[in-house]
mmCIF file of all heavy atoms in Angstrom:
data_model
loop_
_atom_site.group_PDB
_atom_site.id
_atom_site.type_symbol
_atom_site.label_atom_id
_atom_site.label_comp_id
_atom_site.label_asym_id
_atom_site.label_seq_id
_atom_site.Cartn_x
_atom_site.Cartn_y
_atom_site.Cartn_z
ATOM 1 N N GLN A 1355 4.301 -4.167 -3.940
ATOM 2 C CA GLN A 1355 5.238 -5.303 -3.563
ATOM 3 C C GLN A 1355 6.218 -5.515 -4.665
ATOM 4 O O GLN A 1355 7.381 -5.888 -4.398
ATOM 5 C CB GLN A 1355 4.429 -6.522 -3.209
ATOM 6 C CG GLN A 1355 3.531 -6.345 -2.044
ATOM 7 C CD GLN A 1355 4.182 -5.775 -0.842
ATOM 8 O OE1 GLN A 1355 5.333 -6.149 -0.464
ATOM 9 N NE2 GLN A 1355 3.565 -4.809 -0.188
ATOM 10 N N ALA A 1359 10.275 -5.229 -4.224
ATOM 11 C CA ALA A 1359 11.200 -6.289 -4.571
ATOM 12 C C ALA A 1359 12.311 -5.811 -5.429
ATOM 13 O O ALA A 1359 13.491 -6.188 -5.226
ATOM 14 C CB ALA A 1359 10.416 -7.399 -5.305
ATOM 15 N N GLY A 1360 12.032 -4.930 -6.404
ATOM 16 C CA GLY A 1360 13.088 -4.349 -7.206
ATOM 17 C C GLY A 1360 14.053 -3.480 -6.381
ATOM 18 O O GLY A 1360 15.242 -3.383 -6.581
ATOM 19 N N ASP A 1362 14.834 -3.802 -3.213
ATOM 20 C CA ASP A 1362 15.765 -4.583 -2.369
ATOM 21 C C ASP A 1362 16.995 -4.930 -3.163
ATOM 22 O O ASP A 1362 18.118 -4.842 -2.603
ATOM 23 C CB ASP A 1362 15.061 -5.819 -1.879
ATOM 24 C CG ASP A 1362 14.081 -5.562 -0.723
ATOM 25 O OD1 ASP A 1362 14.188 -4.450 -0.088
ATOM 26 O OD2 ASP A 1362 13.212 -6.350 -0.456
ATOM 27 N N VAL A 1363 16.826 -5.343 -4.373
ATOM 28 C CA VAL A 1363 17.984 -5.738 -5.216
ATOM 29 C C VAL A 1363 18.929 -4.558 -5.478
ATOM 30 O O VAL A 1363 20.109 -4.637 -5.251
ATOM 31 C CB VAL A 1363 17.489 -6.343 -6.535
ATOM 32 C CG1 VAL A 1363 18.660 -6.696 -7.424
ATOM 33 C CG2 VAL A 1363 16.646 -7.597 -6.248
ATOM 34 N N THR A 1438 18.184 -11.768 2.822
ATOM 35 C CA THR A 1438 17.090 -12.744 2.987
ATOM 36 C C THR A 1438 16.574 -12.724 4.396
ATOM 37 O O THR A 1438 15.336 -12.730 4.646
ATOM 38 C CB THR A 1438 17.623 -14.186 2.678
ATOM 39 O OG1 THR A 1438 18.105 -14.153 1.359
ATOM 40 C CG2 THR A 1438 16.524 -15.200 2.792
ATOM 41 N N ALA A 1441 14.529 -9.530 4.959
ATOM 42 C CA ALA A 1441 13.194 -9.667 4.319
ATOM 43 C C ALA A 1441 12.264 -10.494 5.074
ATOM 44 O O ALA A 1441 11.077 -10.256 5.222
ATOM 45 C CB ALA A 1441 13.312 -10.141 2.888
ATOM 46 N N ALA A 1484 5.789 -16.758 5.117
ATOM 47 C CA ALA A 1484 7.052 -16.039 4.797
ATOM 48 C C ALA A 1484 8.180 -16.641 5.580
ATOM 49 O O ALA A 1484 9.309 -16.779 5.003
ATOM 50 C CB ALA A 1484 6.898 -14.575 5.109
ATOM 51 N N MET A 1487 9.182 -19.902 3.915
ATOM 52 C CA MET A 1487 9.995 -19.671 2.697
ATOM 53 C C MET A 1487 11.450 -19.473 2.998
ATOM 54 O O MET A 1487 12.340 -19.826 2.195
ATOM 55 C CB MET A 1487 9.381 -18.457 1.923
ATOM 56 C CG MET A 1487 8.069 -18.668 1.299
ATOM 57 S SD MET A 1487 7.582 -17.235 0.298
ATOM 58 C CE MET A 1487 8.845 -17.281 -0.976
ATOM 59 N N THR A 1488 11.737 -18.830 4.155
ATOM 60 C CA THR A 1488 13.138 -18.521 4.506
ATOM 61 C C THR A 1488 13.864 -19.671 5.222
ATOM 62 O O THR A 1488 14.997 -19.989 4.963
ATOM 63 C CB THR A 1488 13.139 -17.240 5.363
ATOM 64 O OG1 THR A 1488 12.456 -16.194 4.691
ATOM 65 C CG2 THR A 1488 14.597 -16.819 5.670
ATOM 66 N N LEU A 1497 13.593 -27.230 -12.297
ATOM 67 C CA LEU A 1497 12.818 -26.527 -13.261
ATOM 68 C C LEU A 1497 13.598 -26.387 -14.528
ATOM 69 O O LEU A 1497 14.799 -26.486 -14.566
ATOM 70 C CB LEU A 1497 12.362 -25.160 -12.724
ATOM 71 C CG LEU A 1497 11.588 -25.171 -11.463
ATOM 72 C CD1 LEU A 1497 11.319 -23.749 -10.971
ATOM 73 C CD2 LEU A 1497 10.293 -25.933 -11.553
ATOM 74 N N TRP A 1499 14.263 -23.839 -16.452
ATOM 75 C CA TRP A 1499 15.172 -22.686 -16.550
ATOM 76 C C TRP A 1499 16.282 -22.689 -15.411
ATOM 77 O O TRP A 1499 17.057 -21.771 -15.425
ATOM 78 C CB TRP A 1499 14.395 -21.368 -16.499
ATOM 79 C CG TRP A 1499 13.456 -21.273 -15.300
ATOM 80 C CD1 TRP A 1499 13.843 -20.823 -14.059
ATOM 81 C CD2 TRP A 1499 12.085 -21.605 -15.288
ATOM 82 N NE1 TRP A 1499 12.713 -20.941 -13.245
ATOM 83 C CE2 TRP A 1499 11.663 -21.380 -13.929
ATOM 84 C CE3 TRP A 1499 11.189 -22.105 -16.248
ATOM 85 C CZ2 TRP A 1499 10.331 -21.602 -13.561
ATOM 86 C CZ3 TRP A 1499 9.888 -22.315 -15.814
ATOM 87 C CH2 TRP A 1499 9.468 -22.090 -14.594
ATOM 88 N N THR A 1500 16.254 -23.664 -14.558
ATOM 89 C CA THR A 1500 17.291 -23.679 -13.467
ATOM 90 C C THR A 1500 18.168 -24.920 -13.518
ATOM 91 O O THR A 1500 19.005 -25.139 -12.650
ATOM 92 C CB THR A 1500 16.583 -23.602 -12.106
ATOM 93 O OG1 THR A 1500 15.754 -24.709 -11.963
ATOM 94 C CG2 THR A 1500 15.837 -22.330 -11.960
ATOM 95 N N PRO A 1621 4.137 -9.826 2.746
ATOM 96 C CA PRO A 1621 4.857 -11.103 2.500
ATOM 97 C C PRO A 1621 4.881 -11.463 1.069
ATOM 98 O O PRO A 1621 5.639 -12.365 0.643
ATOM 99 C CB PRO A 1621 4.083 -12.096 3.403
ATOM 100 C CG PRO A 1621 3.451 -11.296 4.417
ATOM 101 C CD PRO A 1621 3.050 -10.025 3.763
ATOM 102 N N LEU A 1622 3.965 -10.930 0.211
ATOM 103 C CA LEU A 1622 3.959 -11.268 -1.177
ATOM 104 C C LEU A 1622 5.242 -10.823 -1.844
ATOM 105 O O LEU A 1622 5.560 -11.402 -2.902
ATOM 106 C CB LEU A 1622 2.786 -10.511 -1.837
ATOM 107 C CG LEU A 1622 2.376 -10.918 -3.254
ATOM 108 C CD1 LEU A 1622 1.975 -12.347 -3.354
ATOM 109 C CD2 LEU A 1622 1.311 -10.002 -3.811
ATOM 110 N N CYS A 1623 5.981 -9.863 -1.252
ATOM 111 C CA CYS A 1623 7.206 -9.438 -1.776
ATOM 112 C C CYS A 1623 8.229 -10.583 -1.907
ATOM 113 O O CYS A 1623 8.918 -10.693 -2.916
ATOM 114 C CB CYS A 1623 7.778 -8.289 -0.945
ATOM 115 S SG CYS A 1623 9.350 -7.587 -1.507
ATOM 116 N N MET A 1624 8.258 -11.439 -0.878
ATOM 117 C CA MET A 1624 9.187 -12.574 -0.893
ATOM 118 C C MET A 1624 8.750 -13.521 -1.992
ATOM 119 O O MET A 1624 9.652 -14.127 -2.621
ATOM 120 C CB MET A 1624 9.162 -13.284 0.467
ATOM 121 C CG MET A 1624 9.944 -12.576 1.562
ATOM 122 S SD MET A 1624 10.314 -13.640 2.970
ATOM 123 C CE MET A 1624 11.383 -14.853 2.205
ATOM 124 N N VAL A 1625 7.488 -13.746 -2.198
ATOM 125 C CA VAL A 1625 7.052 -14.600 -3.274
ATOM 126 C C VAL A 1625 7.477 -14.068 -4.649
ATOM 127 O O VAL A 1625 8.015 -14.830 -5.459
ATOM 128 C CB VAL A 1625 5.559 -14.797 -3.206
ATOM 129 C CG1 VAL A 1625 5.023 -15.714 -4.401
ATOM 130 C CG2 VAL A 1625 5.083 -15.329 -1.839
ATOM 131 N N ILE A 1626 7.360 -12.773 -4.824
ATOM 132 C CA ILE A 1626 7.754 -12.157 -6.105
ATOM 133 C C ILE A 1626 9.240 -12.255 -6.328
ATOM 134 O O ILE A 1626 9.755 -12.572 -7.388
ATOM 135 C CB ILE A 1626 7.279 -10.745 -6.113
ATOM 136 C CG1 ILE A 1626 5.782 -10.623 -6.040
ATOM 137 C CG2 ILE A 1626 7.812 -9.967 -7.389
ATOM 138 C CD1 ILE A 1626 5.197 -9.196 -5.913
ATOM 139 N N VAL A 1627 10.040 -11.983 -5.190
ATOM 140 C CA VAL A 1627 11.486 -12.097 -5.266
ATOM 141 C C VAL A 1627 11.907 -13.457 -5.649
ATOM 142 O O VAL A 1627 12.835 -13.721 -6.473
ATOM 143 C CB VAL A 1627 12.154 -11.651 -3.990
ATOM 144 C CG1 VAL A 1627 13.625 -11.946 -4.005
ATOM 145 C CG2 VAL A 1627 11.901 -10.142 -3.797
ATOM 146 N N ALA A 1628 11.237 -14.500 -5.026
ATOM 147 C CA ALA A 1628 11.606 -15.895 -5.318
ATOM 148 C C ALA A 1628 11.351 -16.306 -6.728
ATOM 149 O O ALA A 1628 12.171 -16.940 -7.393
ATOM 150 C CB ALA A 1628 10.813 -16.835 -4.396
ATOM 151 N N ILE A 1629 10.189 -15.818 -7.249
ATOM 152 C CA ILE A 1629 9.861 -16.158 -8.657
ATOM 153 C C ILE A 1629 10.843 -15.410 -9.614
ATOM 154 O O ILE A 1629 11.375 -15.968 -10.565
ATOM 155 C CB ILE A 1629 8.416 -15.743 -8.927
ATOM 156 C CG1 ILE A 1629 7.447 -16.600 -8.102
ATOM 157 C CG2 ILE A 1629 8.113 -15.892 -10.459
ATOM 158 C CD1 ILE A 1629 6.038 -16.180 -8.208
ATOM 159 N N MET A 1630 11.065 -14.113 -9.367
ATOM 160 C CA MET A 1630 11.981 -13.360 -10.246
ATOM 161 C C MET A 1630 13.413 -13.877 -10.230
ATOM 162 O O MET A 1630 14.062 -13.969 -11.216
ATOM 163 C CB MET A 1630 11.978 -11.898 -9.818
ATOM 164 C CG MET A 1630 10.644 -11.100 -10.108
ATOM 165 S SD MET A 1630 10.646 -9.451 -9.439
ATOM 166 C CE MET A 1630 11.978 -8.712 -10.345
ATOM 167 N N SER A 1631 13.828 -14.277 -8.999
ATOM 168 C CA SER A 1631 15.210 -14.842 -8.893
ATOM 169 C C SER A 1631 15.344 -16.169 -9.657
ATOM 170 O O SER A 1631 16.372 -16.486 -10.220
ATOM 171 C CB SER A 1631 15.553 -15.019 -7.401
ATOM 172 O OG SER A 1631 15.513 -13.805 -6.701
ATOM 173 N N SER A 1632 14.239 -16.953 -9.583
ATOM 174 C CA SER A 1632 14.307 -18.260 -10.303
ATOM 175 C C SER A 1632 14.296 -18.078 -11.767
ATOM 176 O O SER A 1632 15.060 -18.775 -12.528
ATOM 177 C CB SER A 1632 13.093 -19.100 -9.860
ATOM 178 O OG SER A 1632 13.050 -20.331 -10.522
ATOM 179 N N ILE A 1633 13.501 -17.172 -12.310
ATOM 180 C CA ILE A 1633 13.384 -17.034 -13.732
ATOM 181 C C ILE A 1633 14.533 -16.151 -14.369
ATOM 182 O O ILE A 1633 15.191 -16.548 -15.315
ATOM 183 C CB ILE A 1633 12.039 -16.332 -14.115
ATOM 184 C CG1 ILE A 1633 10.879 -17.286 -13.648
ATOM 185 C CG2 ILE A 1633 11.953 -16.073 -15.608
ATOM 186 C CD1 ILE A 1633 9.500 -16.723 -13.886
ATOM 187 N N ILE A 1634 14.805 -15.039 -13.700
ATOM 188 C CA ILE A 1634 15.791 -14.072 -14.265
ATOM 189 C C ILE A 1634 17.253 -14.483 -13.886
ATOM 190 O O ILE A 1634 18.107 -14.486 -14.757
ATOM 191 C CB ILE A 1634 15.542 -12.673 -13.794
ATOM 192 C CG1 ILE A 1634 14.155 -12.206 -14.218
ATOM 193 C CG2 ILE A 1634 16.613 -11.712 -14.259
ATOM 194 C CD1 ILE A 1634 13.732 -10.835 -13.656
ATOM 195 N N LEU A 1635 17.464 -14.882 -12.627
ATOM 196 C CA LEU A 1635 18.817 -15.191 -12.184
ATOM 197 C C LEU A 1635 19.081 -16.689 -12.171
ATOM 198 O O LEU A 1635 20.147 -17.121 -11.860
ATOM 199 C CB LEU A 1635 19.086 -14.653 -10.807
ATOM 200 C CG LEU A 1635 18.840 -13.103 -10.598
ATOM 201 C CD1 LEU A 1635 19.077 -12.701 -9.155
ATOM 202 C CD2 LEU A 1635 19.755 -12.377 -11.504
ATOM 203 N N ALA A 1636 18.114 -17.503 -12.539
ATOM 204 C CA ALA A 1636 18.234 -18.956 -12.611
ATOM 205 C C ALA A 1636 18.614 -19.537 -11.209
ATOM 206 O O ALA A 1636 19.398 -20.495 -11.155
ATOM 207 C CB ALA A 1636 19.247 -19.333 -13.687
ATOM 208 N N GLU A 1637 18.123 -18.936 -10.136
ATOM 209 C CA GLU A 1637 18.395 -19.510 -8.837
ATOM 210 C C GLU A 1637 17.557 -20.736 -8.605
ATOM 211 O O GLU A 1637 16.438 -20.886 -9.132
ATOM 212 C CB GLU A 1637 18.119 -18.422 -7.783
ATOM 213 C CG GLU A 1637 19.099 -17.277 -7.776
ATOM 214 C CD GLU A 1637 18.834 -16.355 -6.628
ATOM 215 O OE1 GLU A 1637 17.871 -16.561 -5.846
ATOM 216 O OE2 GLU A 1637 19.542 -15.350 -6.513
ATOM 217 N N GLN A 1638 18.155 -21.642 -7.783
ATOM 218 C CA GLN A 1638 17.408 -22.903 -7.498
ATOM 219 C C GLN A 1638 16.165 -22.608 -6.717
ATOM 220 O O GLN A 1638 16.101 -21.782 -5.800
ATOM 221 C CB GLN A 1638 18.330 -23.829 -6.700
ATOM 222 C CG GLN A 1638 19.574 -24.279 -7.447
ATOM 223 C CD GLN A 1638 19.260 -25.243 -8.550
ATOM 224 O OE1 GLN A 1638 18.080 -25.744 -8.660
ATOM 225 N NE2 GLN A 1638 20.163 -25.519 -9.390
ATOM 226 N N MET A 1639 15.106 -23.371 -7.037
ATOM 227 C CA MET A 1639 13.809 -23.280 -6.394
ATOM 228 C C MET A 1639 13.677 -24.471 -5.456
ATOM 229 O O MET A 1639 13.833 -25.565 -5.927
ATOM 230 C CB MET A 1639 12.652 -23.227 -7.357
ATOM 231 C CG MET A 1639 11.312 -23.156 -6.701
ATOM 232 S SD MET A 1639 11.009 -21.571 -5.813
ATOM 233 C CE MET A 1639 10.849 -20.424 -7.136
ATOM 234 N N TYR A 1640 13.407 -24.242 -4.187
ATOM 235 C CA TYR A 1640 13.269 -25.271 -3.190
ATOM 236 C C TYR A 1640 11.809 -25.546 -2.885
ATOM 237 O O TYR A 1640 10.934 -24.572 -3.015
ATOM 238 C CB TYR A 1640 13.998 -24.862 -1.918
ATOM 239 C CG TYR A 1640 15.437 -24.708 -2.077
ATOM 240 C CD1 TYR A 1640 16.015 -23.425 -2.386
ATOM 241 C CD2 TYR A 1640 16.300 -25.811 -1.956
ATOM 242 C CE1 TYR A 1640 17.426 -23.309 -2.492
ATOM 243 C CE2 TYR A 1640 17.685 -25.649 -2.110
ATOM 244 C CZ TYR A 1640 18.253 -24.449 -2.367
ATOM 245 O OH TYR A 1640 19.577 -24.267 -2.530
ATOM 246 N N GLY A 1642 10.459 -25.897 -0.038
ATOM 247 C CA GLY A 1642 10.057 -25.133 1.068
ATOM 248 C C GLY A 1642 9.546 -23.720 0.636
ATOM 249 O O GLY A 1642 8.598 -23.191 1.248
ATOM 250 N N ARG A 1643 10.169 -23.152 -0.369
ATOM 251 C CA ARG A 1643 9.730 -21.848 -0.888
ATOM 252 C C ARG A 1643 8.352 -21.964 -1.526
ATOM 253 O O ARG A 1643 7.517 -21.085 -1.357
ATOM 254 C CB ARG A 1643 10.723 -21.317 -1.944
ATOM 255 C CG ARG A 1643 12.027 -20.888 -1.270
ATOM 256 C CD ARG A 1643 12.958 -20.246 -2.297
ATOM 257 N NE ARG A 1643 14.148 -19.733 -1.717
ATOM 258 C CZ ARG A 1643 15.134 -19.135 -2.406
ATOM 259 N NH1 ARG A 1643 15.023 -18.904 -3.707
ATOM 260 N NH2 ARG A 1643 16.237 -18.720 -1.790
ATOM 261 N N VAL A 1644 8.135 -23.038 -2.216
ATOM 262 C CA VAL A 1644 6.809 -23.240 -2.872
ATOM 263 C C VAL A 1644 5.702 -23.418 -1.824
ATOM 264 O O VAL A 1644 4.613 -22.773 -1.901
ATOM 265 C CB VAL A 1644 6.853 -24.443 -3.807
ATOM 266 C CG1 VAL A 1644 5.427 -24.728 -4.386
ATOM 267 C CG2 VAL A 1644 7.846 -24.254 -4.939
ATOM 268 N N ILE A 1645 6.011 -24.232 -0.752
ATOM 269 C CA ILE A 1645 5.072 -24.451 0.286
ATOM 270 C C ILE A 1645 4.756 -23.132 0.998
ATOM 271 O O ILE A 1645 3.623 -22.736 1.307
ATOM 272 C CB ILE A 1645 5.506 -25.519 1.276
ATOM 273 C CG1 ILE A 1645 5.635 -26.869 0.583
ATOM 274 C CG2 ILE A 1645 4.580 -25.612 2.508
ATOM 275 C CD1 ILE A 1645 6.253 -27.942 1.430
ATOM 276 N N GLY A 1646 5.802 -22.391 1.314
ATOM 277 C CA GLY A 1646 5.625 -21.095 2.024
ATOM 278 C C GLY A 1646 4.787 -20.103 1.160
ATOM 279 O O GLY A 1646 4.008 -19.388 1.705
ATOM 280 N N ALA A 1647 5.085 -20.100 -0.177
ATOM 281 C CA ALA A 1647 4.335 -19.206 -1.046
ATOM 282 C C ALA A 1647 2.823 -19.547 -1.075
ATOM 283 O O ALA A 1647 1.956 -18.667 -1.041
ATOM 284 C CB ALA A 1647 4.919 -19.240 -2.421
#
Side-chain angles (χ1 to χ4, degrees):
Q1355 299 310 317
D1362 284 342
V1363 176
T1438 303
M1487 289 185 66
T1488 304
L1497 302 176
W1499 54 84
T1500 61
L1622 191 62
C1623 182
M1624 282 195 67
V1625 179
I1626 297 171
V1627 170
I1629 296 173
M1630 291 174 61
S1631 299
S1632 175
I1633 297 175
I1634 299 175
L1635 303 178
E1637 291 185 358
Q1638 295 290 349
M1639 179 65 71
Y1640 296 92
R1643 289 186 177 182
V1644 176
I1645 295 174

